[in-house]
Amino acid sequence: MLHLRVIAPVDRSTEVVDLLSAEAGVTHLAVLPGAARQPPGDLILCDVVRESADRVLRELQRIGVDTSGGIAADDVELTISASADRAAEKAPGSGADAVVWDEIAAKTGEQTELSGTYLVLLVVATMIAGIGVLLDQPILIVGAMVVGPEFGPLAALCVALWRRRLDGIGKSVQALTVGFLAAMVATVLSTWALTAAGLVNEEMLLAARPLTDFIWRPDALSWVVGLLAGVAGMLSLTSKKSGSLVGVLISVTTVPAAANVAVAAAYGVWDEAGGSALQLVINLSAIVLAGLLTLLVQQAWWWNLARRTRRPAAG
């Protein structure tokens, strides 16, 4: 359930209240006339079940509340109310599967920033994975996957492509490109430093690595894993499941491949570097494609559900 705070100009307040009153998924409606000061207007509060939230937000924007007033939404973690239970029963679909497109756009928009924290996390993850590659240690690969933050920009890219937002596409591509390049350069340098210190050597890369050699040998399963990771990642975002855990699944197909590119390049093993680079490209493209297809299916599902359960017009 979402808690909405709507500031409506006085001349639009009645229309907003009527709209919210007619929506089966809205409850706990309260109106505070003249309470808003910036911008001026009436403050309207309500709770709306997630399966109705997207339609309510879309209708509020249709009548111009976002430009002449304001709309804010927060998650409600606990609601003890028979009225809320009735609203959930009347609303179509399941709240666990509900998609609130404005919420997704806002959430992923925050993930496109090329911040220092994002760069440091991606660099550290790739360096850890590079050591894991040389030692043939899956536990280090898993550790790198936990640290890797690239799930955010990948999800943001899918949403930006879906909504045809060129600025979001550019920022996401920039975050991914700069992030991975910086991470691989740092891993090349760290590999040289560790080699100079006598901690690792080229023989470790050339030796049989049965536990991690899948990272640089792309095949049909690489594409399948990338697709599955993209579906899981997008569903975790849209359905508010555990994004951090699914981020690990995303990283299994990206950070280790980038790390292997860097380590192989550091030692001049270009065939392995090329295989890892191809693995990375396959995985990234599969994740984005799967994310877009997931958004398509979800939107088609909810549009169809909305048509079949269209609420009767007021009056």
Side-chain angles (χ1 to χ4, degrees), residues 171-263:
K171 290 180 179 179
S172 300
V173 171
Q174 181 187 45
L176 290 168
T177 302
V178 174
F180 274 112
L181 286 177
M184 287 189 284
V185 169
T187 303
V188 169
L189 296 176
S190 69
T191 301
W192 286 343
L194 292 172
T195 302
L199 299 176
V200 298
N201 55 63
E202 184 177 353
E203 286 68 30
M204 298 171 69
L205 179 70
L206 299 177
R209 291 177 285 133
L211 300 179
T212 58
D213 66 354
F214 71 93
I215 295 172
W216 62 278
R217 290 179 175 172
D219 53 22
L221 286 178
S222 303
W223 181 257
V224 173
V225 171
L227 287 173
L228 294 175
V231 172
M234 191 52 61
L235 284 177
S236 76
L237 177 69
T238 59
S239 62
K240 299 183 72 60
K241 298 302 181 184
S242 179
S244 59
L245 292 179
V246 176
V248 174
L249 174 60
I250 299 295
S251 291
V252 74
T253 64
T254 54
V255 166
N260 208 87
V261 171
V263 172

Side-chain angles (χ1 to χ4, degrees), residues 20-80:
L20 295 174
S21 300
E23 175 58 56
V26 171
T27 187
H28 306 153
L29 179 61
V31 181
L32 285 71
R37 293 293 180 266
Q38 181 59 37
D42 295 343
L43 178 61
I44 303 170
L45 308 174
C46 70
D47 292 332
V48 55
V49 295
R50 292 190 61 84
E51 45 269 54
S52 297
D54 187 65
R55 180 170 60 247
V56 169
L57 292 172
R58 190 168 59 248
E59 288 298 306
L60 289 173
Q61 292 174 73
R62 180 185 61 80
I63 63 178
V65 175
D66 56 325
T67 56
S68 58
I71 307 168
D74 296 307
D75 276 313
V76 178
E77 298 296 335
L78 174 64
T79 302
I80 304 175

Side-chain angles (χ1 to χ4, degrees), residues 154-165:
L154 279 169
L157 177 58
C158 293
V159 174
L161 286 169
W162 177 250
R163 294 168 68 94
R164 299 183 183 89
R165 300 290 176 84

